[in-house]
């Protein structure tokens, strides 16, 4: 094999002319002198069209290549400037690197693949670059992988929408998932009606016309945006969130019962000093308050998952805390109603709403009103079989990606890493098919 062929493999491209290969003792690196083929030597670095020579710019320039045997490798070439009629005066295009980058495409692909596969510290030490540089590389790789491809938001039919936090202090990102492919198609900073409006504006009229189903939680801003942009689409509310509404309210009722029991324990007269008499409880009010406080997990678990001790605690609560026990039965009744077949779920929920209305528990009376507003969306979820569970699962991958990207200075770089991991893209490794 000739040295020029080996140098082309190290650079990662074939359509170049290798002029020389030397070793720089000061930088302790191999330097490959190269230039593009003559038909591609004077092209705009931004748009790629032919442009006349303008000036020498900053002269010779080096781009970092993947290391070989632990030794740094650079490709060196003239970085003169051309005068593009569209982009103005800019540095010429080179076939081994993107405009504005100090690294070859082969190095950037390797760096991006490692950033998605290993820890921050390991990636930095292996490549000998800063983590801030890794973020910018991920953004460039994402842009390059999307070149010549149709937009990820094209042809959407069934989508899921959710927001997830990426930083403390109520900093959220909105994520749109394609249910048919299970991949993220759109990410944006913030959440709410304005962000969702920006998504519908971006996909255009043709993209909005193709959307058939939209799954999300019970947020009102989703309903408002759908009425304006996609009134023909069917709204779906995931049953997981509906049960979560009930469990949150059940826990609130438990807290109220515990506060009442604790108040009675504080108001109860103190017993006499010494050991209690036979058959006399030490402090029955305090014991009752402690038993209510310990009911948090038995109340939230499904009956089939309860231990014998937890079952006994619920049986005691049915006697000592009848209001709390009624709330628990309502939660279980709603969970079972949502498991009914699609043709029976509406009737089951209407029956449950009647029991919640008659329970005289204000929290569940308000919950049945909320479920009445979302009843059509809940039934549509059962009929279509669409669930927001896929979106929730992707949220876990996003949180892991956010943790791996800790230290990025730009949100665009963070969102680029989220898209690379969760959108179904495959980052190529140099030398692999």
């Amino acid at each position: 094999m000739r040295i020029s062929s080996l140098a082309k493999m190290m650079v990662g491209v074939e359509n170049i002319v290798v002029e020389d290969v030397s070793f720089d003792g000061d930088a302790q690196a191999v330097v490959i002198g190269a230039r593009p083929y003559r038909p591609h030597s004077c092209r705009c670095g931004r748009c790629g069209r032919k442009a006349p020579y303008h000036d020498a710019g900053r002269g010779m320039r080096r781009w970092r290549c993947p290391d070989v045997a632990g030794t740094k490798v650079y490709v060196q070439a003239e970085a003169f400037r051309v005068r593009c009629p569209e982009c103005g005066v800019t540095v010429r295009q080179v076939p081994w690197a993107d405009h504005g980058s100090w690294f070859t495409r082969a190095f950037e692909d390797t760096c991006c693949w490692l950033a998605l596969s290993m820890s921050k510290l390991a990636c930095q030490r292996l490549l000998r670059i800063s983590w801030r540089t890794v973020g910018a590389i991920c953004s460039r790789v994402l842009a390059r992988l999307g070149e010549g491809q149709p937009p990820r938001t094209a042809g959407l039919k069934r989508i899921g929408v959710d927001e997830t936090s990426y930083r403390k202090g109520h900093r959220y990102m909105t994520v749109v998932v394609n249910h048919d492919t299970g991949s993220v198609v759109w990410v944006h900073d913030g959440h709410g009606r304005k962000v969702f409006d920006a998504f519908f504006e971006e996909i255009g009229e043709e993209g909005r016309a193709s959307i058939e189903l939209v799954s999300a939680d019970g947020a009102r801003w989703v309903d408002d945006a759908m009425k304006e942009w996609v009134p023909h689409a069917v709204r779906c509310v995931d049953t997981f969130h509906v049960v979560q509404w009930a469990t949150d309210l059940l826990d609130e009722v438990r807290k109220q019962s515990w506060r009442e029991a604790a108040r009675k324990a504080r108001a109860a007269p103190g017993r006499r000093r010494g050991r209690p008499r036979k058959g006399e409880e030490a402090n029955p009010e305090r014991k009752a308050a402690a038993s209510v406080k310990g009911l948090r997990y038995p109340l939230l678990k499904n009956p089939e998952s309860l231990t014998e001790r937890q079952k006994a605690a619920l049986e005691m609560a049915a006697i000592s805390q009848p209001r709390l026990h009624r709330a628990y039965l309502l939660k279980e009744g709603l969970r079972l109603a949502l498991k009914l077949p699609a043709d029976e779920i509406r009737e089951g929920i209407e029956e449950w709403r009647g029991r919640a209305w008659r329970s005289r528990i204000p929290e569940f009376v308000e919950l049945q009103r909320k479920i009445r507003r979302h009843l059509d969306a809940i039934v549509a979820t059962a009929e279509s079989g669409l669930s927001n569970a896929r979106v929730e699962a992707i949220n876990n991958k996003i949180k892991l990606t956010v943790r791996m990207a800790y230290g990025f200075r730009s949100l665009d770089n963070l969102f680029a890493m989220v898209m690379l991991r969760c959108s179904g893209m495959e980052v190529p490794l140099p030398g692999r098919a």
Side-chain angles (χ1 to χ4, degrees):
M1 177 181 288
R2 296 184 302 175
I3 190 67
S4 60
S5 300
L6 181 60
K8 290 179 181 180
M9 293 176 60
M10 296 165 68
V11 176
V13 291
E14 291 290 335
N15 57 336
I16 60 173
V17 177
V18 177
E19 298 178 330
D20 61 68
V21 179
S22 61
F23 184 79
D24 188 342
D26 295 334
Q28 291 294 304
V30 175
V31 179
I32 302 172
R35 60 177 173 83
Y37 286 162
R38 188 174 298 275
H40 303 282
S41 60
C42 273
R43 290 184 177 271
C44 175
R46 297 182 184 274
C47 62
R49 67 176 62 187
K50 289 186 177 182
Y53 177 89
H54 181 70
D55 61 17
R58 296 186 179 181
M60 301 298 290
R61 179 175 171 183
R62 290 180 179 182
W63 291 264
R64 175 89 177 273
C65 301
D67 295 353
V68 175
T71 303
K72 289 184 178 180
V73 180
Y74 291 93
V75 57
Q76 180 174 276
E78 290 185 82
F80 59 79
R81 299 194 300 174
V82 296
R83 187 171 60 255
C84 177
E86 182 69 24
C87 306
V89 177
T90 183
V91 180
R92 72 159 175 173
Q93 183 186 65
V94 291
W96 53 78
D98 293 332
H99 181 72
S101 174
W102 292 86
F103 306 93
T104 64
R105 293 191 181 97
F107 183 93
E108 292 189 340
D109 290 342
T110 304
C111 174
C112 185
W113 190 90
L114 292 174
L116 296 172
S117 307
M118 61 172 56
S119 67
K120 165 186 174 181
L121 185 60
C123 182
Q124 284 180 265
R125 288 185 174 180
L126 181 62
L127 298 176
R128 291 179 282 193
I129 58 177
S130 69
W131 190 240
R132 188 174 183 177
T133 303
V134 174
I137 288 176
C138 289
S139 295
R140 286 196 293 269
V141 171
L142 177 64
R144 191 188 319 135
L145 291 177
E147 289 179 356
Q149 301 293 329
R152 288 180 291 271
T153 56
L156 295 175
K157 292 185 178 180
R158 308 193 306 168
I159 63 174
V161 186
D162 200 8
E163 67 273 359
T164 183
S165 62
Y166 65 88
R167 191 181 299 170
K168 291 182 179 179
H170 300 286
R171 304 296 297 274
Y172 291 91
M173 67 174 77
T174 299
V175 181
V176 178
V177 176
N178 185 353
H179 278 290
D180 296 323
T181 60
S183 59
V184 176
V185 296
W186 193 78
V187 181
H188 198 282
D189 183 27
H191 70 290
R193 172 69 188 275
K194 292 183 178 179
V195 177
F196 206 25
D197 288 344
F199 166 73
F200 285 125
E201 290 176 357
E202 182 175 327
I203 64 177
E205 184 176 354
E206 184 177 352
R208 295 192 294 268
S210 65
I211 294 178
E212 300 174 356
L213 296 170
V214 179
S215 70
D217 54 16
R220 290 181 181 269
W221 54 267
V222 177
D223 296 329
D224 296 339
M226 287 183 61
K227 289 178 182 178
E228 178 178 351
W229 297 99
V230 285
H232 60 277
V234 178
R235 172 80 152 92
C236 297
V237 173
D238 188 41
T239 55
F240 167 80
H241 288 96
V242 179
V243 176
Q244 189 179 33
W245 299 341
T247 54
D248 292 343
L249 292 179
L250 175 60
D251 194 52
E252 182 61 32
V253 174
R254 181 194 63 82
K255 291 177 183 178
Q256 294 175 4
S257 300
W258 175 78
R259 295 189 191 102
E260 181 66 20
R263 185 186 61 78
K264 291 182 179 180
R266 290 191 297 268
R271 68 174 182 84
R272 64 181 182 84
R273 298 178 63 182
R275 181 180 297 177
R277 297 176 181 176
K278 186 176 181 180
E280 179 184 0
E281 295 186 20
N283 194 330
E285 290 81 6
R286 182 174 297 177
K287 186 176 180 180
S291 65
V292 175
K293 188 175 183 179
L295 286 174
R296 178 183 180 184
Y297 293 107
L299 289 171
L300 301 183
K301 290 174 67 175
N302 296 335
E304 59 271 14
S305 303
L306 293 172
T307 64
E308 294 298 328
R309 186 173 180 178
Q310 290 171 341
K311 291 179 181 178
L314 287 179
E315 292 175 358
M316 293 296 297
I319 300 174
S320 60
Q321 300 289 336
R323 181 173 180 269
L324 179 59
H325 188 253
R326 289 201 313 272
Y328 170 73
L329 294 179
L330 286 172
K331 186 266 291 186
E332 285 301 314
L334 178 60
R335 187 175 68 88
L336 295 177
L338 294 173
K339 289 186 176 182
L340 292 173
D343 56 344
E344 300 178 10
I345 189 171
R346 183 182 293 272
E347 182 180 352
I349 293 178
E350 290 291 355
E351 182 182 353
W352 179 88
R353 286 187 54 237
R355 295 203 306 271
W357 178 265
R358 295 189 296 271
S359 67
R360 294 177 296 176
I361 302 176
E363 291 79 6
F364 281 85
V365 172
E366 183 60 32
L367 176 61
Q368 67 87 23
R369 294 194 183 101
K370 185 176 182 179
I371 290 178
R372 180 184 61 187
R373 294 195 301 267
H374 296 286
L375 183 57
D376 293 336
I378 296 172
V379 175
T381 302
E383 293 175 347
S384 63
L386 198 64
S387 170
N388 222 38
R390 175 168 290 175
V391 184
E392 299 295 334
I394 289 178
N395 280 346
N396 292 332
K397 294 178 65 176
I398 291 176
K399 290 185 180 297
L400 173 63
T401 306
V402 169
R403 183 57 186 165
M404 292 180 68
Y406 181 77
F408 280 2
R409 300 296 184 89
S410 170
L411 284 180
D412 293 335
N413 298 340
L414 169 62
F415 295 158
M417 198 166 180
V418 169
M419 292 299 298
L420 288 169
R421 176 180 286 276
C422 304
S423 64
M425 291 184 179
E426 191 167 344
V427 180
L429 277 173
R432 277 75 164 181

